[in-house]
Every structure is written in structure tokens, then in C-alpha cells.
Amino acid sequence: MNSCVSQHLASVCEFGGWVASKLPCPEESAHVKTLFWSSVVGSWALSFVRQNGQRNFSIVDRLWPLFPVVLVAQWLYDDRAYFSCAAAADDLQVRTAQHKAIAAMVLVAIWGARLCFNSIRRGDYAVGAEDYRWAVTRAAIERRLPACSCLRWAVWETFNIAFISLFQLALLYLISVPLRLAIQYTATVADGTVNAAADGWSFTEIALVVLMIVLLEVEAIADQQMYKFQQRKKQGVLTKHEAEAGFVHSGLWKYSRHPNVACEQAFWVVMCVFCATATGTDLGSPENIWLLSGPALLILLMWASVQLTESISRSKYPLYQAYQLQTSRLIPWKPWSAAQVINHAHSKL
């Protein structure tokens, strides 16, 4: 792992540790607190259970598509009485608030179902399946430590509980928490505690929902293109050009090296903005800006993850560096020509 990746992971761990120390929020129900901490402790404990003779550190990876959906279901259950009353209300403001919350919940359910389906077909839920990057990360950490097995074990287990289990589940909680805002807002409007921010849907809210649908669709297309490529690679039926490269670089991957990651990040940013807009929450105010910590941490984590993934790809595929020079990292863009790459290199001299 290069120094840049190490610095990113260090900053993520430091900020993540501070955030995780304040989670879940004090106003959360006992059910949510139990769900969160049992998931943290349970995922860490399960990493000691051997699968095919080895420990497995991808327990949280298996929880990734499920945890936000379960959290949303728990929040809905906690406010079920008011939410049910909103469905029967004649007040347009109450029903509008509920419909916006439902839209957000449905989109998260679709996100979770699609991601879970993609993980299942890739074999991520198979016994013994583990993200190959954990082994690379562990080896990189151990290289920076003295040759003492006890010290290396202690450092890795600290990383295991603090980052793999606690930080990642805290991150999933933080990207999901704007939906709690939408659900509870419906409850407060229904019981008359607050007045609704609007009587109907604004153009901005409709546009944000459409944008999230587009992002989910583009992410699904990118994952499908990757899956088909990997299947053809296993079967040995790649074209000569594809086989020489060894990695997918057509379709959406021609315009972005990580189109699925770009859509994933954007989806949760837009979800946060939508929930804030639907509830009249000012994300720029000091008491609400923390709602942006989830998307911000997700971007930081995925940036470090992409750095690590690309360092591994460069070591495996000789042509990957050329692909990096020609293709945008995240935001889809027209690939550079060889002349543009050369001119850019000269400008750096």
C-alpha cells in the first residue's frame, strides 16, 4: 500500500473514531442502539470464526447492503403509530411529508436489494469469500511494524475492531440517518408538533428523486458490465484486445475507471440533500451540518479504497497505467487521446 493510501486511511480512522465515539445519537431508541452495538460486536466476534480453515474479515462487507435497510425499518417501526396516522390523514401537508419519506425509504430498499443481488451473484456471501484487499491491507500494516508477532496481532486486531467493524458500521449509520429525519418529520407533522415545510412536491425534490433513480440505474449497468466481463474472463472467451488488457475498459468503464463508485457516492449525497430539502432542514446551520458527515466520510473511504484497488491493478496489469492516463477516475468524461496524454505529460515537466 503506498503512502498516499496510508495517509487517507489514517485520516479516515482518526475522524471516524471521533464520530463513532458519539454514535448512535443520544436520542436514538434503545432498539437502534442495541442494533448498532450488537452489529459492531457481532461482526468483530464473527471474524474469529474460521471459514474454510481461515479467519474472514469480510463480515461487514456482507452487512453493507443490509444494515441501512434494517436501520430504516427500525426507525419506521419506532414511529409506526404516527406514520400510520399520517396515511389516514386528510391534511395535504401530512400526506405530502409521508410520501416524501416513503420515496426515500423505497429508494434505499432498491439500493440495498440491488447491491445484495450483485454481491450474491459474485459469490461474496459464499463461505470463505473475502475481499482480497483485506489481505493486502494487513500485509501493508505488518510491513511497517517490527517483526514481533504479538505486536502485529495487537495492531491488526485494533484495526479490526476500530475500523473494519466500528468505523464502517458507524459510516453506514451516518449515511442512513437523514432518512430518520424524514420519518420523524412525518411523525411531528402528523401530531401537530411542527408545520410542514410545503404543501406539495417542489421541482427540486422531484429532480433529486429522478437523479437518485438515474444513479441507481447507472450503477447497476456498470456492475452488470463488470460482472459480464469477469464471467467471460473466467470462461476464457475474451477478445484479444480484452485479454491483453486483463481488465474491463469498455462501456461505462471507457469513460470512468470507477463508474459504480462514483454513482454510489453521489447517491448518498443526493439522498442527504433530498431528506434535508423535504424536511426544511438547513444543512448549512451549525446544528445540522453533521448530517453531511456520512456522505463526506463515504467519499474519503472510497477514495482510499480506490487508491488501494488501483495500486493492486497496476501491479497485476501492465496496461492499467495507460488506462489511468486516458480515463477519468470517477466522473464520466471523454477519454483522452494519446496526443492529449503526451501534451499533459510535457506540461508537468
Side-chain angles (χ1 to χ4, degrees), residues 285-339:
S285 64
E287 65 269 20
N288 296 323
I289 197 169
W290 72 274
L291 291 168
L292 292 169
S293 62
L297 279 172
L298 181 66
I299 291 171
L300 276 174
L301 176 63
M302 288 193 165
W303 184 268
S305 176
V306 165
Q307 286 280 92
L308 176 58
T309 301
E310 293 205 331
S311 68
I312 297 171
S313 295
R314 281 196 306 271
S315 66
K316 290 174 62 178
Y317 308 115
L319 294 178
Y320 195 82
Q321 190 168 3
Y323 176 59
Q324 287 179 299
L325 293 172
Q326 289 187 307
T327 309
S328 170
R329 181 174 189 156
L330 290 174
I331 301 174
W333 202 256
K334 182 181 178 181
W336 278 13
S337 64

Side-chain angles (χ1 to χ4, degrees), residues 190-314:
D191 68 9
T193 303
V194 299
N195 293 321
D199 291 335
W201 288 72
S202 69
F203 174 80
T204 300
E205 290 164 346
I206 295 172
L208 291 171
V209 169
V210 171
L211 178 56
M212 283 188 281
I213 293 172
V214 171
L215 289 170
L216 287 175
E217 179 63 25
V218 174
E219 186 175 1
I221 293 172
D223 281 342
Q224 178 68 8
Q225 290 175 347
M226 172 62 81
Y227 177 75
K228 283 187 174 182
F229 177 86
Q230 295 296 342
Q231 291 300 110
R232 290 171 53 235
K233 186 176 181 179
K234 290 179 182 178
Q235 297 165 7
V237 294
L238 295 177
T239 65
K240 181 181 178 181
H241 185 58
E242 290 174 328
E244 287 176 350
F247 53 88
V248 61
H249 58 281
S250 58
L252 292 175
W253 302 81
K254 178 180 178 181
Y255 305 98
S256 169
R257 304 200 299 271
H258 306 278
N260 51 351
V261 173
C263 290
E264 180 78 1
Q265 293 175 347
F267 174 81
W268 288 106
V269 171
V270 177
M271 176 61 75
C272 181
V273 174
F274 171 74
C275 291
T277 303
T279 58
T281 302
D282 180 11
L283 289 174
S285 64
E287 65 269 20
N288 296 323
I289 197 169
W290 72 274
L291 291 168
L292 292 169
S293 62
L297 279 172
L298 181 66
I299 291 171
L300 276 174
L301 176 63
M302 288 193 165
W303 184 268
S305 176
V306 165
Q307 286 280 92
L308 176 58
T309 301
E310 293 205 331
S311 68
I312 297 171
S313 295
R314 281 196 306 271

Side-chain angles (χ1 to χ4, degrees), residues 56-76:
N56 190 294
F57 298 98
S58 278
I59 306 301
V60 176
D61 296 335
R62 292 170 168 86
L63 292 177
W64 195 277
L66 307 174
F67 195 64
V69 178
V70 175
L71 275 173
V72 169
Q74 184 60 62
W75 285 323
L76 182 60

